[in-house]
Coordinates of all heavy atoms in Angstrom, one line a residue:
M2 N 0.8 -1.2 0.0 CA 0.0 0.0 0.0 C 0.9 1.3 0.0 O 0.3 2.3 -0.2 CB -0.9 0.0 1.2 CG -2.1 -0.8 1.1 SD -3.3 -0.1 0.1 CE -4.7 -1.0 0.4
A3 N 2.1 1.2 0.2 CA 3.0 2.4 0.4 C 3.0 3.2 -0.9 O 3.2 4.4 -0.8 CB 4.4 1.9 0.7
G4 N 2.9 2.5 -2.1 CA 2.8 3.2 -3.3 C 1.6 3.9 -3.7 O 1.6 4.8 -4.5
V5 N 0.5 3.5 -3.0 CA -0.9 4.0 -3.4 C -1.1 5.3 -2.4 O -1.0 5.1 -1.2 CB -1.9 3.0 -3.1 CG1 -3.3 3.6 -3.4 CG2 -1.6 1.8 -4.0
P6 N -1.5 6.4 -2.9 CA -1.7 7.6 -2.1 C -2.9 7.3 -1.1 O -3.9 6.7 -1.5 CB -2.1 8.7 -3.0 CG -1.5 8.3 -4.4 CD -1.5 6.7 -4.3
S7 N -2.7 7.9 0.1 CA -3.8 7.6 1.1 C -5.1 8.2 0.6 O -6.1 7.8 1.1 CB -3.3 8.2 2.4 OG -3.1 9.6 2.4
A8 N -5.1 9.3 -0.1 CA -6.2 9.9 -0.7 C -7.1 8.9 -1.5 O -8.3 8.8 -1.4 CB -5.9 11.1 -1.5
V9 N -6.3 8.1 -2.2 CA -7.0 7.1 -3.2 C -7.6 5.9 -2.2 O -8.7 5.5 -2.5 CB -6.0 6.5 -4.2 CG1 -6.6 5.3 -4.8 CG2 -5.5 7.7 -5.2
V10 N -6.9 5.5 -1.3 CA -7.3 4.4 -0.3 C -8.6 4.9 0.3 O -9.5 4.1 0.5 CB -6.2 4.0 0.7 CG1 -6.7 3.0 1.7 CG2 -4.9 3.5 -0.1
A11 N -8.5 6.1 0.9 CA -9.7 6.6 1.7 C -11.0 6.7 0.7 O -12.0 6.3 1.1 CB -9.4 7.9 2.3
A12 N -10.8 7.3 -0.4 CA -11.9 7.6 -1.3 C -12.5 6.2 -1.8 O -13.7 6.0 -1.9 CB -11.5 8.3 -2.5
T13 N -11.5 5.2 -2.1 CA -11.9 3.8 -2.6 C -12.7 3.2 -1.5 O -13.7 2.5 -1.7 CB -10.7 3.0 -2.9 OG1 -10.1 3.8 -4.0 CG2 -11.1 1.7 -3.3
G14 N -12.4 3.4 -0.2 CA -13.1 2.8 0.9 C -14.5 3.2 1.1 O -15.4 2.5 1.2
L15 N -14.6 4.6 0.9 CA -16.0 5.1 0.9 C -16.9 4.7 -0.2 O -18.0 4.2 -0.1 CB -16.0 6.7 1.1 CG -15.5 7.2 2.4 CD1 -14.9 8.6 2.3 CD2 -16.4 7.0 3.5
V16 N -16.3 4.8 -1.4 CA -17.0 4.4 -2.6 C -17.3 3.0 -2.7 O -18.3 2.4 -2.9 CB -16.4 5.0 -3.9 CG1 -17.1 4.4 -5.2 CG2 -16.4 6.5 -3.9
G17 N -16.2 2.2 -2.4 CA -16.2 0.8 -2.5 C -17.1 0.2 -1.4 O -17.8 -0.8 -1.7
G18 N -17.0 0.7 -0.3 CA -17.9 0.2 0.8 C -19.4 0.3 0.5 O -20.2 -0.5 0.6
Y19 N -19.8 1.6 -0.1 CA -21.1 1.7 -0.5 C -21.5 0.8 -1.7 O -22.6 0.2 -1.6 CB -21.4 3.2 -0.9 CG -22.7 3.4 -1.5 CD1 -23.9 3.2 -0.6 CD2 -22.9 3.6 -2.8 CE1 -25.2 3.3 -1.2 CE2 -24.3 3.8 -3.4 CZ -25.4 3.6 -2.5 OH -26.7 3.7 -3.1
G20 N -20.6 0.7 -2.6 CA -20.9 -0.1 -3.8 C -21.1 -1.6 -3.4 O -22.1 -2.2 -3.9
V21 N -20.2 -2.1 -2.6 CA -20.3 -3.5 -2.1 C -21.7 -3.7 -1.4 O -22.4 -4.7 -1.6 CB -19.2 -3.9 -1.3 CG1 -19.3 -5.2 -0.5 CG2 -17.9 -4.0 -2.2
A22 N -22.0 -2.8 -0.4 CA -23.2 -3.0 0.3 C -24.4 -2.9 -0.6 O -25.4 -3.7 -0.5 CB -23.3 -1.8 1.4
R23 N -24.4 -2.0 -1.6 CA -25.5 -1.8 -2.5 C -25.7 -3.0 -3.4 O -26.7 -3.6 -3.6 CB -25.5 -0.6 -3.3 CG -26.6 -0.4 -4.3 CD -26.6 1.0 -4.9 NE -27.6 1.1 -5.8 CZ -28.3 2.2 -6.0 NH1 -28.0 3.3 -5.3 NH2 -29.3 2.1 -6.8
W24 N -24.7 -3.5 -3.9 CA -24.6 -4.6 -5.0 C -24.9 -6.0 -4.4 O -25.4 -6.8 -5.0 CB -23.5 -4.5 -5.9 CG -23.6 -3.3 -6.9 CD1 -24.8 -2.9 -7.5 CD2 -22.6 -2.4 -7.1 NE1 -24.5 -1.7 -8.1 CE2 -23.2 -1.5 -8.0 CE3 -21.3 -2.3 -6.8 CZ2 -22.5 -0.3 -8.6 CZ3 -20.5 -1.2 -7.3 CH2 -21.1 -0.3 -8.2
T25 N -24.3 -6.2 -3.2 CA -24.5 -7.4 -2.5 C -25.8 -7.5 -1.7 O -26.1 -8.6 -1.2 CB -23.3 -7.8 -1.7 OG1 -23.2 -6.9 -0.6 CG2 -22.0 -7.9 -2.6
R26 N -26.2 -6.4 -1.3 CA -27.3 -6.2 -0.4 C -27.0 -6.7 1.1 O -27.8 -7.1 1.8 CB -28.6 -6.9 -0.9 CG -29.2 -6.3 -2.2 CD -30.5 -6.9 -2.6 NE -30.9 -6.7 -3.9 CZ -31.3 -5.6 -4.4 NH1 -31.2 -4.4 -3.6 NH2 -31.6 -5.5 -5.7
K27 N -25.7 -6.7 1.3 CA -25.2 -7.0 2.7 C -24.4 -5.8 3.2 O -23.3 -5.6 2.8 CB -24.3 -8.2 2.5 CG -25.0 -9.5 2.0 CD -24.1 -10.6 2.1 CE -24.7 -11.9 1.4 NZ -25.9 -12.4 1.9
R28 N -25.1 -5.1 4.1 CA -24.5 -3.8 4.7 C -23.3 -4.1 5.5 O -22.3 -3.4 5.5 CB -25.5 -3.1 5.6 CG -26.7 -2.6 4.7 CD -27.7 -1.9 5.6 NE -27.1 -0.7 6.2 CZ -27.8 0.2 6.8 NH1 -29.0 0.0 7.1 NH2 -27.2 1.3 7.2
Q29 N -23.2 -5.3 6.1 CA -22.0 -5.7 6.9 C -20.8 -5.8 6.0 O -19.7 -5.5 6.4 CB -22.3 -7.1 7.6 CG -23.3 -6.9 8.7 CD -24.8 -7.2 8.0 OE1 -25.0 -7.4 6.8 NE2 -25.7 -7.3 8.9
L30 N -21.0 -6.4 4.8 CA -19.9 -6.6 3.9 C -19.4 -5.2 3.4 O -18.2 -5.0 3.3 CB -20.3 -7.5 2.7 CG -19.3 -8.0 1.7 CD1 -18.1 -8.7 2.5 CD2 -19.8 -8.9 0.7
G31 N -20.3 -4.3 3.1 CA -19.9 -3.0 2.8 C -19.1 -2.3 3.9 O -18.2 -1.6 3.7
G32 N -19.6 -2.5 5.2 CA -18.9 -2.0 6.3 C -17.6 -2.5 6.5 O -16.7 -1.7 6.9
A33 N -17.4 -3.7 6.2 CA -16.0 -4.4 6.3 C -15.2 -3.7 5.3 O -14.0 -3.4 5.6 CB -16.1 -5.9 6.1
V34 N -15.5 -3.4 4.1 CA -14.7 -2.8 3.1 C -14.3 -1.4 3.6 O -13.2 -0.9 3.5 CB -15.4 -2.7 1.7 CG1 -14.7 -1.8 0.7 CG2 -15.6 -4.1 1.1
L35 N -15.3 -0.7 4.1 CA -15.2 0.7 4.6 C -14.1 0.6 5.7 O -13.2 1.5 5.8 CB -16.5 1.2 5.1 CG -16.4 2.6 5.7 CD1 -16.5 3.7 4.6 CD2 -17.6 2.8 6.6
A36 N -14.3 -0.4 6.7 CA -13.4 -0.4 7.8 C -12.0 -0.8 7.5 O -11.0 -0.1 8.0 CB -13.9 -1.3 8.9
V37 N -11.8 -1.7 6.5 CA -10.4 -2.2 6.2 C -9.7 -1.0 5.4 O -8.5 -0.7 5.7 CB -10.5 -3.4 5.3 CG1 -9.2 -3.7 4.6 CG2 -10.9 -4.6 6.1
A38 N -10.4 -0.3 4.5 CA -9.8 0.7 3.8 C -9.5 2.0 4.7 O -8.4 2.6 4.7 CB -10.6 1.2 2.7
G39 N -10.4 2.2 5.7 CA -10.2 3.2 6.7 C -8.9 3.0 7.5 O -8.2 3.9 7.8
A40 N -8.8 1.6 8.0 CA -7.6 1.3 8.8 C -6.4 1.5 8.0 O -5.3 1.9 8.4 CB -7.9 -0.1 9.3
A41 N -6.4 1.1 6.7 CA -5.2 1.2 5.9 C -4.9 2.7 5.7 O -3.7 3.1 5.7 CB -5.4 0.5 4.6
A42 N -5.8 3.5 5.4 CA -5.5 5.0 5.2 C -5.1 5.5 6.5 O -4.1 6.3 6.5 CB -6.9 5.6 4.8
A43 N -5.6 5.2 7.6 CA -5.2 5.7 8.9 C -3.8 5.4 9.2 O -2.9 6.2 9.6 CB -6.0 5.2 10.0
Q44 N -3.3 4.1 8.9 CA -2.0 3.8 9.0 C -1.0 4.7 8.1 O 0.1 5.2 8.6 CB -1.8 2.3 8.7 CG -0.3 1.8 8.7 CD 0.3 1.9 10.1 OE1 -0.4 1.7 11.1 NE2 1.6 2.3 10.1
Q45 N -1.4 4.9 6.9 CA -0.6 5.8 6.0 C -0.6 7.2 6.6 O 0.5 7.9 6.5 CB -1.2 5.8 4.6 CG -1.0 4.5 3.9 CD -1.6 4.5 2.4 OE1 -2.8 4.8 2.3 NE2 -0.8 4.2 1.5
W46 N -1.8 7.7 7.0 CA -1.8 9.0 7.6 C -0.8 9.2 8.8 O -0.1 10.2 8.8 CB -3.2 9.4 7.9 CG -4.2 9.6 6.8 CD1 -3.8 9.9 5.5 CD2 -5.6 9.2 6.9 NE1 -5.1 9.8 4.8 CE2 -6.1 9.5 5.5 CE3 -6.5 8.8 7.8 CZ2 -7.5 9.3 5.3 CZ3 -7.7 8.6 7.6 CH2 -8.3 8.8 6.2
R47 N -0.8 8.2 9.6 CA 0.0 8.3 10.8 C 1.5 8.3 10.4 O 2.4 9.0 10.9 CB -0.2 7.1 11.8 CG 0.4 7.2 13.1 CD 0.0 6.3 14.2 NE -0.7 5.1 13.7 CZ -0.2 3.9 13.6 NH1 1.0 3.6 14.1 NH2 -1.0 2.9 13.2
T48 N 1.8 7.4 9.4 CA 3.3 7.3 8.9 C 3.6 8.7 8.3 O 4.7 9.1 8.5 CB 3.3 6.2 8.0 OG1 3.1 4.9 8.6 CG2 4.7 6.0 7.5
R49 N 2.8 9.2 7.5 CA 3.2 10.3 6.6 C 3.0 11.7 7.3 O 3.8 12.6 7.0 CB 2.3 10.3 5.4 CG 2.6 9.1 4.5 CD 1.9 9.1 3.2 NE 2.1 7.9 2.5 CZ 1.4 7.5 1.4 NH1 0.4 8.2 1.0 NH2 1.7 6.4 0.8
A50 N 2.0 11.8 8.2 CA 1.7 13.2 8.8 C 1.7 13.2 10.3 O 1.5 14.2 10.8 CB 0.4 13.6 8.2
G51 N 1.8 12.1 10.9 CA 1.8 12.0 12.5 C 0.5 11.6 13.0 O -0.5 11.6 12.3
G52 N 0.5 11.5 14.3 CA -0.7 11.0 15.0 C -1.9 12.0 15.0 O -3.0 11.5 14.9
K53 N -1.6 13.2 15.3 CA -2.7 14.2 15.4 C -3.4 14.3 14.0 O -4.7 14.4 13.9 CB -2.1 15.6 15.8 CG -1.9 15.6 17.3 CD -1.4 17.0 17.7 CE -1.0 17.1 19.1 NZ -0.7 18.4 19.6
A54 N -2.6 14.4 12.9 CA -3.2 14.5 11.6 C -4.0 13.2 11.3 O -5.1 13.3 10.7 CB -2.1 14.8 10.5
A55 N -3.4 12.1 11.6 CA -4.1 10.9 11.4 C -5.4 10.8 12.2 O -6.4 10.2 11.6 CB -3.2 9.6 11.8
G56 N -5.4 11.2 13.4 CA -6.6 11.3 14.1 C -7.7 12.2 13.5 O -8.9 11.8 13.4
A57 N -7.3 13.4 13.0 CA -8.2 14.3 12.4 C -8.7 13.8 11.1 O -9.9 13.9 10.8 CB -7.6 15.6 12.2
L58 N -7.9 13.2 10.3 CA -8.4 12.6 9.0 C -9.3 11.4 9.2 O -10.2 11.1 8.5 CB -7.1 12.2 8.1 CG -6.4 13.4 7.6 CD1 -5.1 13.0 7.0 CD2 -7.3 14.1 6.5
T59 N -9.0 10.6 10.3 CA -9.8 9.5 10.6 C -11.2 9.9 11.0 O -12.2 9.4 10.6 CB -9.2 8.5 11.6 OG1 -7.9 8.1 11.2 CG2 -10.1 7.4 12.1
A60 N -11.3 11.1 11.8 CA -12.5 11.6 12.2 C -13.2 12.1 10.9 O -14.5 12.1 10.8 CB -12.3 12.8 13.2
A61 N -12.5 12.7 10.0 CA -13.2 13.2 8.8 C -13.7 12.1 8.0 O -14.9 12.2 7.4 CB -12.2 14.0 7.9
Y62 N -13.0 10.9 7.9 CA -13.4 9.8 7.2 C -14.8 9.3 7.8 O -15.7 9.0 7.1 CB -12.4 8.7 7.3 CG -12.6 7.3 6.5 CD1 -12.4 7.4 5.2 CD2 -13.1 6.2 7.1 CE1 -12.5 6.2 4.4 CE2 -13.2 5.1 6.4 CZ -12.9 5.0 5.1 OH -13.2 3.8 4.4
V63 N -14.8 9.1 9.1 CA -16.1 8.6 9.8 C -17.2 9.6 9.6 O -18.4 9.3 9.4 CB -15.7 8.4 11.3 CG1 -17.1 8.0 12.0 CG2 -14.7 7.2 11.4
A64 N -16.8 11.0 9.8 CA -17.9 12.0 9.6 C -18.4 12.0 8.2 O -19.6 12.2 7.9 CB -17.3 13.3 9.9
A65 N -17.5 11.7 7.2 CA -18.0 11.7 5.8 C -19.0 10.5 5.6 O -20.0 10.6 4.9 CB -16.8 11.6 4.9
F66 N -18.7 9.3 6.2 CA -19.5 8.2 6.0 C -20.9 8.5 6.7 O -21.9 8.3 6.1 CB -18.9 7.0 6.8 CG -19.8 5.9 7.0 CD1 -20.3 5.2 6.0 CD2 -20.3 5.6 8.3 CE1 -21.2 4.1 6.2 CE2 -21.1 4.5 8.5 CZ -21.6 3.8 7.5
A67 N -20.8 9.1 7.9 CA -22.1 9.4 8.6 C -22.8 10.5 7.9 O -24.1 10.4 7.8 CB -21.7 9.8 10.1
G68 N -22.1 11.5 7.4 CA -22.7 12.7 6.7 C -23.3 12.3 5.4 O -24.3 13.0 4.9
S69 N -22.8 11.3 4.8 CA -23.3 10.8 3.5 C -24.8 10.5 3.5 O -25.5 10.6 2.5 CB -22.5 9.9 2.8 OG -22.6 8.6 3.5
H70 N -25.2 9.9 4.6 CA -26.6 9.4 4.7 C -27.7 10.5 4.6 O -28.5 10.4 3.8 CB -26.8 8.6 6.0 CG -25.9 7.3 6.0 ND1 -24.6 7.2 6.2 CD2 -26.3 6.0 5.6 CE1 -24.2 6.0 6.1 NE2 -25.2 5.2 5.7
P71 N -27.6 11.5 5.5 CA -28.6 12.6 5.4 C -28.4 13.5 4.0 O -29.4 13.8 3.4 CB -28.4 13.5 6.6 CG -27.0 13.1 7.1 CD -26.7 11.8 6.6
L72 N -27.1 13.5 3.6 CA -27.0 14.2 2.3 C -27.6 13.4 1.1 O -28.1 14.0 0.2 CB -25.5 14.3 2.0 CG -25.0 15.2 0.8 CD1 -25.7 16.5 0.8 CD2 -23.5 15.1 0.8
A73 N -27.6 12.1 1.2 CA -28.2 11.2 0.2 C -29.7 11.5 0.0 O -30.2 11.4 -1.1 CB -28.0 9.7 0.4
K74 N -30.3 11.9 1.1 CA -31.7 12.2 1.0 C -32.0 13.4 0.3 O -33.1 13.6 -0.3 CB -32.4 12.2 2.4 CG -32.3 10.9 3.1 CD -32.9 10.9 4.6 CE -32.8 9.7 5.2 NZ -33.4 9.5 6.5
K75 N -31.0 14.3 0.2 CA -31.2 15.5 -0.6 C -30.8 15.5 -2.0 O -31.3 16.1 -2.9 CB -30.4 16.7 0.2 CG -31.0 16.8 1.6 CD -30.6 18.3 2.0 CE -31.1 18.5 3.4 NZ -32.5 18.5 3.7
I76 N -29.6 14.8 -2.3 CA -29.1 14.8 -3.6 C -28.9 13.4 -4.2 O -28.5 13.4 -5.4 CB -27.6 15.5 -3.6 CG1 -26.6 14.7 -2.9 CG2 -27.7 17.0 -3.1 CD1 -25.1 15.2 -3.0
G77 N -29.2 12.4 -3.5 CA -29.1 11.1 -4.1 C -27.9 10.4 -3.5 O -26.9 10.9 -3.0
A78 N -28.0 9.0 -3.5 CA -27.0 8.2 -2.9 C -25.6 8.4 -3.5 O -24.6 8.6 -2.9 CB -27.5 6.7 -2.8
W79 N -25.6 8.0 -4.8 CA -24.2 8.1 -5.5 C -23.7 9.4 -5.5 O -22.4 9.6 -5.1 CB -24.3 7.6 -6.9 CG -24.2 6.1 -6.9 CD1 -25.1 5.2 -7.3 CD2 -23.1 5.2 -6.5 NE1 -24.8 3.9 -7.1 CE2 -23.5 3.9 -6.8 CE3 -21.8 5.5 -6.1 CZ2 -22.6 2.9 -6.4 CZ3 -20.9 4.5 -5.8 CH2 -21.3 3.1 -6.0
P80 N -24.4 10.5 -5.8 CA -23.7 11.8 -5.7 C -23.2 12.2 -4.3 O -22.2 12.8 -4.2 CB -24.8 12.8 -6.1 CG -25.7 12.0 -7.0 CD -25.7 10.6 -6.4
S81 N -23.9 11.7 -3.3 CA -23.6 11.9 -1.9 C -22.2 11.3 -1.6 O -21.3 11.9 -1.1 CB -24.7 11.4 -0.9 OG -24.2 11.5 0.4
V82 N -22.2 9.9 -1.9 CA -21.0 9.1 -1.6 C -19.8 9.7 -2.4 O -18.7 9.8 -1.9 CB -21.3 7.6 -2.0 CG1 -19.9 6.9 -1.9 CG2 -22.3 7.1 -1.0
L83 N -20.0 10.0 -3.7 CA -18.9 10.6 -4.5 C -18.4 11.9 -4.0 O -17.2 12.3 -3.9 CB -19.3 10.7 -5.9 CG -19.5 9.3 -6.6 CD1 -20.1 9.5 -8.0 CD2 -18.3 8.5 -6.6
G84 N -19.4 12.7 -3.5 CA -19.0 14.0 -2.9 C -18.2 14.0 -1.7 O -17.2 14.6 -1.5
V85 N -18.7 13.1 -0.8 CA -17.9 13.0 0.6 C -16.6 12.2 0.3 O -15.6 12.6 0.9 CB -18.7 12.3 1.7 CG1 -20.0 13.1 2.0 CG2 -19.0 10.9 1.4
A86 N -16.5 11.3 -0.6 CA -15.3 10.6 -0.9 C -14.2 11.6 -1.5 O -13.1 11.7 -1.2 CB -15.5 9.5 -1.9
G87 N -14.7 12.6 -2.4 CA -13.8 13.6 -2.9 C -13.3 14.5 -1.9 O -12.2 14.9 -1.8
A88 N -14.2 14.9 -1.0 CA -13.8 15.8 0.1 C -12.7 15.1 0.9 O -11.7 15.8 1.3 CB -15.0 16.2 1.0
V89 N -12.9 14.0 1.4 CA -11.9 13.2 2.2 C -10.6 13.0 1.4 O -9.5 13.2 2.0 CB -12.5 11.8 2.7 CG1 -11.4 11.0 3.3 CG2 -13.6 12.0 3.7
A90 N -10.7 12.7 0.1 CA -9.5 12.6 -0.7 C -8.7 13.9 -0.8 O -7.5 13.9 -0.7 CB -9.9 12.1 -2.1
V91 N -9.4 15.0 -1.0 CA -8.8 16.3 -1.0 C -8.0 16.6 0.3 O -6.9 17.0 0.4 CB -9.6 17.4 -1.4 CG1 -9.1 18.8 -1.1 CG2 -10.1 17.3 -2.8
A92 N -8.8 16.4 1.4 CA -8.2 16.6 2.8 C -6.9 15.8 3.0 O -5.9 16.1 3.6 CB -9.2 16.3 3.9
S93 N -7.0 14.4 2.6 CA -6.0 13.5 2.8 C -4.8 13.9 1.9 O -3.6 13.9 2.4 CB -6.5 12.0 2.3 OG -5.4 11.1 2.5
W94 N -5.0 14.3 0.7 CA -3.9 14.8 -0.1 C -3.2 16.0 0.5 O -2.0 16.1 0.6 CB -4.4 15.1 -1.5 CG -3.3 15.6 -2.4 CD1 -2.4 14.9 -3.0 CD2 -3.0 17.0 -2.6 NE1 -1.5 15.8 -3.6 CE2 -1.9 17.0 -3.4 CE3 -3.6 18.1 -2.2 CZ2 -1.4 18.2 -3.8 CZ3 -3.0 19.4 -2.6 CH2 -1.9 19.5 -3.5
A95 N -4.1 17.0 0.9 CA -3.5 18.2 1.4 C -2.7 18.0 2.8 O -1.7 18.6 2.9 CB -4.7 19.1 1.7
V96 N -3.2 17.0 3.5 CA -2.5 16.8 4.8 C -1.3 15.8 4.8 O -0.3 16.0 5.4 CB -3.5 16.4 6.0 CG1 -2.8 16.1 7.2 CG2 -4.6 17.5 6.1
A97 N -1.5 14.7 4.0 CA -0.6 13.7 4.1 C 0.1 13.4 2.8 O 1.3 13.1 2.8 CB -1.3 12.4 4.7
D98 N -0.5 13.4 1.7 CA 0.1 12.9 0.4 C 0.9 14.0 -0.3 O 1.8 13.7 -0.9 CB -1.0 12.4 -0.6 CG -1.7 11.2 -0.1 OD1 -1.1 10.4 0.8 OD2 -2.9 11.0 -0.4
R99 N 0.5 15.2 -0.1 CA 1.3 16.4 -0.8 C 2.7 16.4 -0.4 O 3.6 16.6 -1.3 CB 0.6 17.6 -0.4 CG 1.1 18.8 -1.1 CD 0.4 20.1 -0.9 NE 0.1 20.2 0.5 CZ -0.1 21.3 1.2 NH1 -0.1 22.4 0.5 NH2 -0.4 21.4 2.4
K100 N 3.0 16.0 0.8 CA 4.4 16.0 1.3 C 5.2 14.9 0.8 O 6.5 15.1 0.7 CB 4.4 16.0 2.8 CG 3.7 17.2 3.5 CD 3.6 17.0 4.9 CE 2.7 18.1 5.6 NZ 2.6 17.9 7.0
A101 N 4.6 13.8 0.4 CA 5.4 12.6 -0.1 C 6.0 12.8 -1.5 O 5.7 13.5 -2.2 CB 4.4 11.4 -0.1

């Protein structure tokens, strides 16, 4: 995973988690994808930007997941997921990947 930017890992976790949950109709499986990608991204954030930044980015990742639900009621599921994934990716790039 070292060669893959953490922004890509985090965005893929959000989009992939939703996609897996939707297409398999198994929310737990989507949650597992979300959690594994989030843990991998958090490890990269800690290595590249330190513990405080990793904590903040992990909180943003979880908030993006939670915030995508009410946002989906307003703009639709896929636009919501893609929007929050993009926001997390930009934050991740700015804080951790840009320096690499």
Side-chain angles (χ1 to χ4, degrees):
M2 280 287 195
V5 179
S7 62
V9 173
V10 175
T13 300
L15 290 162
V16 174
Y19 174 69
V21 167
R23 181 172 178 141
W24 290 315
T25 65
R26 300 193 193 286
K27 297 185 188 300
R28 293 178 70 169
Q29 298 86 352
L30 190 55
V34 170
L35 179 82
V37 168
Q44 175 63 33
Q45 288 180 311
W46 293 329
R47 188 168 19 107
T48 300
R49 294 179 184 170
K53 287 184 182 181
L58 288 168
T59 300
Y62 185 82
V63 172
F66 166 69
S69 69
H70 292 83
L72 183 60
K74 293 179 181 184
K75 300 204 182 296
I76 66 171
W79 276 113
S81 173
V82 170
L83 294 173
V85 300
V89 169
V91 167
S93 179
W94 176 82
V96 173
D98 295 335
R99 181 174 50 155
K100 298 174 185 175

